[in-house]
Amino acid sequence: MLSDKSRPVIQATLPVVGAHIQEIAQCFYRHLFTTHPELLNGTFNRGNQADGNQQQALAGAVAAFATALVNTPDHLPENLLARIAQKHASLGIQPEQYQIVHNNLMAAIAEVLGDAVTPDIAAAWDEVYWLMAYTLIHVERGLYSARGVRPQTVWRQWEVEKKIQEADDVMTFVVKRIDDHLVKPSLPGQYITVQVPLPDGTRQPRQYSLSRADQGESRQFTVKRVYGAVGKPDGEVSTLLHTRVNVGDKLSISVPFGALVLDDYSGRPMVFISAGIGITPMAGMLSHLATAGSHLPIMLLHADHNENEFALRGQIRDDIAALPNASIYVWYEQGAESQLPVQGVFPGKMDLSQVRLPDNAVYHLCGPVPFMQEIRSALIKLGIRPRDIQYEVFGPDLWQADYEKARGPARAVCWTARRPTGMVRHSTRASAGSVSTPSATPAR
Ligand SMILES: Cc1cc2nc3c(=O)[nH]c(=O)nc-3n(C[C@H](O)[C@H](O)[C@H](O)COP(=O)(O)OP(=O)(O)OC[C@H]3O[C@@H](n4cnc5c(N)ncnc54)[C@H](O)[C@@H]3O)c2cc1C
Ligand code: HEM
């Protein structure tokens, strides 16, 4: 809870901070990497820095949290916090590092907003920061403890046992344990972070969903090679994994984390909806269900360019066959033909009106954000409750923060550059204009 002293200050300054939050986030990361360059070696994803997604995610999260503190203090954005904490845990973020982030964030606020930041305003935002930080530290401590690790020990060495070409641009890696530590079991839907050494001597982390239930001492993940759009470089880590990492090579991989976890104890029908490489967590969850001998009604709806690009289709075919109440429907942009034992194959984009969805189901979505937005809206139109729709985004989640912010009192606190009474901004650095809220960008 915000103190009575800070509450009105935050309420009054939310609009102007909100209007400049992206600029603050950019300035923050500039400061952070200047003072702590080591964070770009193994901790932060420089692809997400380059395309601005991480700056947007941070800005959106702080904005959503501050808005909730003021307007709905009894309903803080739990899903958003859970997702951040899981990501932090998968990177071994330590409680002590919150002081470093604090110092750089407060410096960025002061730099962007200039003299407008009076000591009272600085103190109120300091309080917001620590409320959020302690919430995250607390959740992260629980995550580490549940896994029996410390931030420093989330990483383990694994050896590549198999490299399987799934489709032209998609490769599956099966890795096996090579140290004495027990393999921490993954929950269905979770991901690992892989830390890869790059030719320039630094290490880069990337998350990959586990695409199969753990097989004793092995884990499996599946990587789509990212090609750069015009004028942009190819994806660093996916390219390297495809072209340089081979059987016998060692990889540093975190224990599994992730908030999108299948709840098969509910006994409710499960519907998995994916597009393209978004199939990976679905394949992982199906594999868990098949391994557990589930009798639940299960439906997989998948969209792809064509069947050759449908990654993991052999494994999925076998798992669907092993599940007594499972069905599969596919949509292909390039022709409605399938060699798989599917219940339905359709041309073009996924259209939910072409299938009969089970009653009282739980939905899991993964794919490009515009695809998920469209499907989620269609499901809600069909009367599905938002809480029954879970999703995974393959990048910093710009959608959740946006959604949380909009859901709350953004009605009451307007995220535009309306200067609050009593707050005069002297800095010439902060430019006025309406805030650009974190918009959905395609998952890669
Ligand atoms: C929870 C989670 C689960 C995931 N699961 C999977 C999975 O199962 N399978 C999978 O394939 N992926 C998955 N991902 C995505 C994966 O983590 C990587 O983001 C993906 O492999 C791309 O990484 P990369 O290093 O190849 O690309 P990056 O180097 O990070 O590049 C990403 C994009 O940024 C652009 N870019 C990079 N540098 C610049 C620059 N300087 N200027 C302009 N543009 C630039 C690139 O052109 C590219 O389009 C997951 C992500 C998350 C968060
Ligand atoms: C209150 C403080 C913090 C907030 C609000 C915050 C917020 C966020 C958010 C919103 C994300 C994106 C999550 C996602 O959707 O994937 C994220 C990721 C991340 N955070 Fe934090 N964070 C905080 C503290 C820290 C600290 C102390 C560190 C340690 C240096 C840290 C390091 C990271 C890293 C490395 C990532 C992944 C970045 C990427 O993959 O590009 N964060 N954080």
Side-chain angles (χ1 to χ4, degrees):
M1 281 299 181
L2 264 180
S3 64
D4 290 345
K5 183 168 178 228
S6 294
R7 201 166 191 279
V9 180
I10 295 299
Q11 195 147 24
T13 54
L14 256 173
V16 80
V17 173
H20 296 100
I21 193 83
Q22 306 244 33
E23 210 182 326
I24 291 169
Q26 281 162 8
C27 179
F28 156 72
Y29 279 114
R30 262 198 321 275
H31 271 280
L32 185 71
F33 296 137
T34 307
T35 51
H36 290 273
E38 75 282 1
L39 290 173
L40 276 173
N41 183 5
T43 305
F44 277 91
N45 172 333
R46 62 190 185 199
N48 290 339
Q49 291 295 323
D51 65 14
N53 280 346
Q54 179 56 28
Q55 291 90 326
Q56 275 200 45
L58 177 74
V62 172
F65 188 78
T67 306
L69 275 180
V70 167
N71 295 285
T72 53
D74 295 337
H75 297 283
L76 294 179
E78 272 173 36
N79 289 344
L80 177 69
L81 292 168
R83 181 179 159 103
I84 299 171
Q86 296 276 355
K87 180 70 79 65
H88 281 170
S90 86
L91 288 154
I93 300 303
Q94 304 170 26
E96 306 76 60
Q97 290 176 308
Y98 278 84
Q99 185 67 50
I100 297 171
V101 165
H102 165 270
N103 298 349
N104 288 282
L105 191 58
M106 296 312 284
I109 292 177
E111 186 174 323
V112 171
L113 297 181
D115 299 343
V117 185
T118 63
D120 278 355
I121 292 172
W125 279 94
D126 198 77
E127 194 179 329
V128 169
Y129 175 83
W130 284 112
L131 281 172
M132 191 164 187
Y134 282 129
T135 311
L136 287 170
I137 291 171
H138 175 72
V139 179
E140 285 156 26
R141 191 170 287 136
L143 294 175
Y144 290 130
S145 147
R147 286 265 166 227
V149 291
R150 287 174 289 114
Q152 296 82 355
T153 60
V154 297
W155 305 105
R156 301 263 195 276
Q157 289 295 306
W158 294 72
E159 187 177 297
V160 178
E161 192 180 19
K162 284 187 210 153
K163 205 177 160 186
I164 306 160
Q165 189 88 42
E166 296 283 348
D168 275 355
D169 297 334
V170 183
M171 190 78 78
T172 284
F173 293 81
V174 179
V175 292
K176 69 175 182 202
R177 168 184 98 121
I178 48 170
D179 59 21
D180 296 336
H181 296 287
L182 282 177
V183 174
K184 310 275 178 194
S186 64
L187 299 174
Q190 290 195 308
Y191 58 81
I192 37 113
T193 295
V194 182
Q195 248 186 2
V196 180
L198 294 174
D200 68 3
T202 59
R203 287 163 300 133
Q204 271 292 288
R206 296 291 183 273
Q207 286 71 38
Y208 293 103
S209 300
L210 291 165
S211 57
R212 187 172 209 159
D214 304 332
Q215 313 264 301
E217 309 284 88
S218 309
R219 290 206 206 290
Q220 174 182 303
F221 59 94
T222 300
V223 180
K224 182 176 171 71
R225 186 170 175 178
V226 172
Y227 290 99
V230 182
K232 290 191 169 186
D234 289 344
E236 278 194 296
V237 172
S238 62
T239 304
L240 198 131
L241 285 167
H242 273 249
T243 58
R244 302 271 186 87
V245 173
N246 292 308
V247 170
D249 287 348
K250 311 234 177 346
L251 287 173
S252 185
I253 296 181
S254 75
V255 293
F257 287 101
L260 175 83
V261 171
L262 183 80
D263 172 17
D264 51 340
Y265 294 113
S266 68
R268 295 167 63 188
M270 300 280 159
V271 181
F272 301 104
I273 307 183
S274 54
I277 194 63
I279 190 65
T280 53
M282 309 300 165
M285 290 191 271
L286 281 170
S287 166
H288 273 270
L289 288 164
T291 308
S294 172
H295 281 68
L296 290 174
I298 292 159
M299 198 176 206
L300 172 67
L301 313 180
H302 180 71
D304 226 312
H305 289 115
N306 55 51
E307 192 148 288
N308 286 337
E309 294 189 34
F310 181 174
L312 296 155
R313 60 187 180 279
Q315 174 188 314
I316 286 169
R317 177 200 55 219
D318 295 347
D319 285 338
I320 294 274
L323 290 159
N325 287 314
S327 55
I328 171 167
Y329 296 83
V330 289
W331 282 258
Y332 295 137
E333 281 170 25
Q334 298 162 349
E337 277 168 35
S338 179
Q339 307 300 314
L340 298 169
V342 294
Q343 277 64 41
V345 50
F346 306 100
K349 287 172 65 179
M350 185 180 288
D351 175 357
L352 296 181
S353 71
Q354 292 173 300
V355 292
R356 194 192 174 297
L357 298 168
D359 293 334
N360 191 32
V362 179
Y363 291 81
H364 298 86
L365 272 50
C366 190
V369 171
F371 164 83
M372 292 199 288
Q373 283 175 320
E374 206 172 295
I375 295 294
R376 186 173 179 278
S377 302
L379 289 171
I380 286 172
K381 242 188 211 161
L382 290 170
I384 311 297
R385 291 175 303 185
R387 69 164 186 241
D388 289 335
I389 310 170
Q390 293 198 47
Y391 69 91
E392 185 63 278
V393 180
F394 281 1
D397 187 353
L398 310 182
W399 188 19
Q400 180 74 46
D402 210 19
Y403 169 68
E404 292 286 357
K405 196 159 50 132
R407 188 175 71 143
R411 289 181 298 272
V413 175
C414 172
W415 283 91
T416 55
R418 198 158 39 86
R419 188 87 42 85
T421 326
M423 184 175 182
V424 184
R425 180 172 55 74
H426 297 292
S427 165
T428 48
R429 266 172 248 133
S431 58
S434 62
V435 67
S436 96
T437 55
S439 60
T441 55
R444 289 150 296 145

